[in-house]
Amino acid sequence: MKICVIGLGYIGLPTASMFASAGCEVVGVDKNPKVIDALNKGEIIIEEKGLAELVSKVVKDKFLRGSLVPEEADVFIITVPTPITTQKKADMSYVISATESIVPYLRKGNLVILESTSPVGTVDELMIPILEKSALKIGEELFVGHSPERVIPGQILKELVFNSRLAGGINPISSEKIAKVYKTFVKGEIYLTDSRTAELCKLAENTYRDVNIAFANELAKICEDLNINVWEAIELCNKHPRVNIHQPGPGVGGHCIAVDPWFIVEKQPDNAKIIELSRKTNDSMPSFVADRIKRILSTINSPKVTILGITYKPDVDDIRESPLIYLIDILKKDGIKVSIYDPHVEKYDGNATDLITAATGSDLLVLGVHHGSFKELPFHKLAEVMRHKNFLDTRNFVSLSDAKDAGFSCYLLGNN
Ligand SMILES: NC(=O)c1ccc[n+]([C@@H]2O[C@H](COP(=O)([O-])OP(=O)(O)OC[C@H]3O[C@@H](n4cnc5c(N)ncnc54)[C@H](O)[C@@H]3O)[C@@H](O)[C@H]2O)c1
């Protein structure tokens, strides 16, 4: 089986590599020459556990190669971005151009699978009219559907194999063909459905998490006002056998949870009330944290804050939609000096080379992301270089007693 994967990012490249390691001939297509140059040398330009080794092996063994343009294949898998615009509308331009790019290469019997998370109706209403330009009979000569991705960054290679997935075709035969393709390497269950249900399920899964986090964030605000520790309260609530409240924090980021609920709101504004309010609640968290920071620093002249971690989740290099980036912007607009330290992020303006450099002369250390390497911060060393010893943990991650021992005044999000 020959597979052409369009879009070699966090999803496309691992997917292409898994098919290649299962013995398929895979052509990875990306419009970014840097991605393709690296791939053809057996290298990668993103961070994901085990991916560098896997890509190096499958490229060396000639099962995977990169190309700037698609070519004929049995299966086309589209894994391009589906971001939101500043108006919170789905930007489908990448899906449109990726679909258009494969049309000249489509042949009778081919299967086209959209993996990108997309608004309900994308396959039916947006892709099919483009694919019809191939002059193939859709559903009879050209099979089409959606198979959304459920992996978590940092665990992608493992979860690609063991997660269950949906095979949502435009007709039953398309669903069956999608399932057969993924069975090449997927060990999880594959559930057959239609493309619209698969589109909605992916959005609903991420929205469930967003709404639950919004609830936790609302509790954090309530607890700060009521002088209760929200982390303890949630832990105790979750002792109830049917309660699973998520964790609060400085906001929700990433390409999925902070984005996908808007795809439902866009299509169903009158019905998606809780969904929209949850998005807005989570989006309010950076300014909620900024207000707390300003209160902590209220008596200090020309204050400086050091933000530890700017990614949207721990132990990855991805800063897309990260609430910490919004927090930094708010603080800077309010005239607060900000230094940053994130050991996972290579290129970000102002990211210090080490923790001590970032903290030197600072008045407040803010733990923004619970990267594993931040678990045990060297508070005694930090105390020597900081101007004022203040520490705010937005993740309930660090032992505050260590910080207190080193003379820090400690603050915790969701606890006054
Ligand atoms: N990253 C995740 O954890 C995750 C999880 C589940 C689902 N998804 C979904 O998967 C999709 C892809 O996300 P990602 O994180 O891999 O994106 P990404 O930005 O990491 O990668 C996308 C790649 O597609 C390339 N590209 C864009 N348009 C192209 C075109 N027309 N032709 C060829 N290449 C093109 C880009 O250059 C880029 O390398 C999105 O819809 C996302 O919501 C992502």
Side-chain angles (χ1 to χ4, degrees), residues 154-386:
Q155 296 287 334
I156 292 180
L157 294 181
K158 195 170 140 211
E159 292 208 353
L160 272 174
V161 176
F162 293 105
N163 283 358
S164 63
R165 70 183 305 144
L166 306 179
I170 51 156
N171 56 2
I173 186 164
S174 293
S175 307
E176 278 163 28
K177 283 181 181 284
I178 294 169
K180 197 171 167 211
V181 165
Y182 286 103
K183 274 185 189 152
T184 317
F185 68 85
V186 172
K187 293 195 166 69
E189 276 304 316
I190 300 181
Y191 298 97
L192 273 53
T193 182
D194 60 85
S195 59
R196 289 171 67 84
T197 306
E199 286 163 343
L200 180 79
C201 285
K202 173 64 196 177
L203 302 182
E205 289 158 15
N206 282 345
T207 300
Y208 160 79
R209 300 181 60 210
D210 198 48
V211 171
N212 198 328
I213 296 166
F215 177 56
N217 281 332
E218 192 161 289
L219 284 179
K221 292 178 179 180
I222 291 166
C223 285
E224 281 198 13
D225 241 24
L226 295 178
N227 205 13
I228 292 167
N229 180 330
V230 75
W231 307 89
E232 184 191 354
I234 289 176
E235 193 182 339
L236 294 173
C237 289
N238 287 346
K239 303 285 180 201
H240 184 295
R242 284 167 293 283
V243 172
N244 174 23
I245 304 173
H246 289 8
Q247 300 289 286
V252 172
H255 195 351
C256 296
I257 300 182
V259 171
D260 304 347
W262 289 118
F263 295 177
I264 303 182
V265 175
E266 183 182 353
K267 291 259 169 181
Q268 287 283 304
D270 293 336
N271 290 322
K273 296 296 182 205
I274 294 174
I275 297 173
E276 183 171 3
L277 184 57
S278 300
R279 246 334 27 254
K280 287 181 174 165
T281 302
N282 288 334
D283 277 352
S284 75
M285 292 311 288
S287 64
F288 181 74
V289 174
D291 287 347
R292 182 88 187 263
I293 288 172
K294 283 181 249 169
R295 285 201 302 278
I296 296 168
L297 298 173
S298 60
T299 56
I300 297 172
N301 274 336
S302 3
K304 174 179 168 182
V305 173
T306 303
I307 307 286
L308 302 184
I310 55 167
T311 58
Y312 82 89
K313 69 192 285 282
D315 301 319
V316 297
D317 64 348
D318 194 342
I319 60 166
R320 287 178 292 180
E321 310 291 328
S322 170
L324 283 317
I325 304 293
Y326 293 110
L327 172 64
I328 291 164
D329 282 350
I330 296 168
L331 294 174
K332 283 184 176 168
K333 272 186 198 132
D334 288 342
I336 295 172
K337 276 183 249 150
V338 181
S339 63
I340 302 162
Y341 177 58
D342 193 316
H344 289 270
V345 178
E346 260 187 33
K347 287 181 198 128
Y348 187 78
D349 207 18
N351 190 13
T353 47
D354 64 275
L355 174 64
I356 299 299
T357 306
T360 298
S362 182
D363 301 295
L364 169 67
L365 212 54
V366 177
L367 184 96
V369 183
H370 40 312
H371 290 316
S373 59
F374 290 158
K375 186 71 188 163
E376 285 176 11
L377 291 169
F379 283 108
H380 283 96
K381 272 194 200 158
L382 288 163
E384 286 169 19
V385 299
M386 287 178 66

Side-chain angles (χ1 to χ4, degrees), residues 7 9-11 30-31 80-82 94 97-98 116-117 149 153 256 320:
Y10 288 93
I11 297 301
D30 203 289
K31 63 178 186 180
V80 293
T82 44
Y94 301 92
S97 68
S116 303
T117 307
E149 195 46 73
C256 296
R320 287 178 292 180

